Each structure stands twice: as structure tokens, then as C-alpha cells.
Amino acid sequence: MKLLVIDTADVVMKRKRDGHIFITAEAQLSSISGTLGINEKIYGGIGNKALAVMKGQKEVTSTLRNAFYDTEFLALTQGVAVEEDGSATVYKTEKGLTVADNAGALEITISDTSVTTVHVRNAKGAVESATAASGKVTVPTGHAVAGELVSATYQKSVTGDIVELDSEKFAEAYTLEFHTLAYDPDTNAVIKDIYIQLDHVVPMDEFELSLENGTAVAPEVNFECLAAPNSTQIGRIIEVDRV
């Protein structure tokens, strides 16, 4: 029957190695496409007429683009799991710090009292290293004047979710399922649920993470869809009537 499909899909992915589930309900694009590597006519006989069509090398690919940034998207292209509560050292910058005159010595105050080395950037953009103790940073002579606003950059240890970019690890195999809705074009009522199941997909390892003013990061992942081991089936499309 004729159906109206106008929505993207909710997505459920399962990593085959350990059964880890990744779910997104904020997809902007969920697509599947198929191509043939061999699709040639066989000619013969008097007049060299077309006798048959030789087909083969069926390929299916899928694309998923999400509205929001999610570390799971990056992790699945890299063949790693998200390390929760991992430790790392990062640079932190405090801006808008006012240089104060403390009995002839110029200093600024930062929030981290354990830091001993700070890089101070003055209003002209010049950067110099400075020493700190108990949150007080001594501004190098001639680098800034009292009342000037400067920034301070220093390293600190943090805890968070970490995705390792490892040159020896590559994307693993997943199962992939899309779910969307189908409408009756005459009544605009939802009459079916449509599921697209792909049994053995491997994300392509290429990725791009562009951080641009005014543009939301929308990660996109492409998948090679293969037949599951010991099977000829790549996947299926299922229509379920709404009760």
C-alpha cells in the first residue's frame, strides 16, 4: 500500500564484540543505499543482441548523521570504547583577571591554588611565563600594568570521558537498526512502524570534527553493510501495522 514517510529514524546500534548498546533519538539523517559492482548485458547470436544481464557484487552502505555531538560517534569510528572517569592533563585558561598592585609587586589571582607555573597573556597578546603560589601569580616586570585585564593559562589534571585515537585500532562490527513512522497520505495518521535492520555493519574509520562559530557539530558516520558471517542476508525492511 502507499505510505507517506517524512521522518528520520531512531537508531539502535549493538557492538558485536561485547554487546554494548548505543541509542540515539536525535538523528538528522538515516539512510541506506545499494549499488551493484557488476551489472552488464551479455550479447551474442546474429545481430549481437542482448541475451542476459550479468549481476553481482551487491554493495549496501548506510549513513547516520546526528543533531548533537556524542563521544559514542567518535568512539565507534576508532574501534575503542569510551573510557568513563578517565584521567588526563589539560590546559585551563582564566580570562578577565585584573592586575593588582600589591605593595609595588604586580599580581593576579587564579582559582587553582596548587598551580606553580602560569602563562600570562596581556592585552596586546604577548605571553610570558610566571610563577604562582597559593593562587597568587606574580606578573613579570613590564608585561602588564596595574588595572589591566589579562588571562592566565596553566595545566591541571581532570577526570572525564575519554576517547583514545589509537593508530593500531580500527572500527569494529555492529548491528544497526533504524525505526521510523509511516503515515496514511489520505488521513495523515500513523499507520505503520518501519524497521530497517542491518546485520553486520562496519563504520568507516574516516571522521571530521569541525568546530565553527554559529554551526552546531553534527557528526556523520558512514557504514559498509556486509552479509553476516555464514549468511547471505545483509538485512531486512519490516513494516508493522499500528494497532
Side-chain angles (χ1 to χ4, degrees):
M1 63 179 300
K2 61 182 182 180
L3 298 171
L4 176 63
V5 179
I6 57 175
D7 296 304
T8 185
D10 292 337
V11 183
V12 179
M13 298 183 62
K14 182 173 73 172
R15 190 164 56 219
K16 286 196 162 187
R17 174 174 56 85
D18 57 5
H20 173 72
I21 296 291
F22 170 49
I23 301 172
T24 178
E26 296 87 22
Q28 290 183 334
L29 171 68
S30 306
S31 72
I32 178 174
S33 62
T35 60
L36 287 178
I38 300 175
N39 187 22
E40 300 178 2
K41 291 181 181 180
I42 305 299
Y43 298 90
I46 296 175
N48 199 29
K49 56 185 174 291
L51 301 175
V53 178
M54 180 173 62
K55 297 187 178 186
Q57 294 181 352
K58 179 181 287 186
E59 295 186 2
V60 177
T61 58
S62 182
T63 299
L64 173 60
R65 185 174 69 233
N66 210 47
F68 298 130
Y69 170 81
D70 193 318
T71 52
E72 287 282 3
F73 276 90
L74 186 56
L76 66 88
T77 68
Q78 299 305 300
V80 299
V82 178
E83 180 187 354
E84 298 181 355
D85 299 325
S87 298
T89 301
V90 301
Y91 283 100
K92 178 180 179 180
T93 298
E94 294 187 34
K95 300 178 180 179
L97 303 178
T98 303
V99 177
D101 187 340
N102 184 11
L106 299 181
E107 64 180 24
I108 55 175
T109 302
I110 59 176
S111 60
D112 194 326
T113 58
S114 64
V115 174
T116 58
T117 300
V118 174
H119 301 281
V120 180
R121 185 175 188 268
N122 64 18
K124 296 181 179 180
V127 178
E128 287 196 24
S129 180
T131 58
S134 301
K136 300 295 184 180
V137 181
T138 302
V139 177
T141 303
H143 187 58
V145 297
E148 183 176 338
L149 294 179
V150 300
S151 65
T153 300
Y154 51 87
Q155 287 188 301
K156 65 176 300 182
S157 296
V158 296
T159 300
D161 296 339
I162 298 175
V163 176
E164 291 286 352
L165 305 180
D166 193 322
S167 63
E168 295 186 352
K169 292 184 179 180
F170 302 92
E172 299 184 25
Y174 287 75
T175 62
L176 178 61
E177 182 173 295
F178 295 147
H179 167 235
T180 192
L181 306 177
Y183 298 80
D184 185 329
D186 297 324
T187 66
N188 215 43
V190 177
I191 57 174
K192 287 182 182 290
D193 292 281
I194 297 180
Y195 298 88
I196 301 174
Q197 294 180 335
L198 299 167
D199 299 331
H200 192 83
V201 304
V202 179
M204 297 182 186
D205 295 85
E206 296 90 350
F207 73 96
E208 182 177 344
L209 188 61
S210 298
L211 308 178
E212 182 180 354
N213 280 338
T215 301
V217 175
E220 182 172 305
V221 181
N222 297 309
F223 302 90
E224 296 285 0
C225 308
L226 311 175
N230 301 317
S231 173
T232 61
Q233 295 184 349
I234 297 174
R236 64 205 53 83
I237 300 174
I238 307 164
E239 296 182 5
V240 181
D241 291 331
R242 275 288 179 108
V243 178

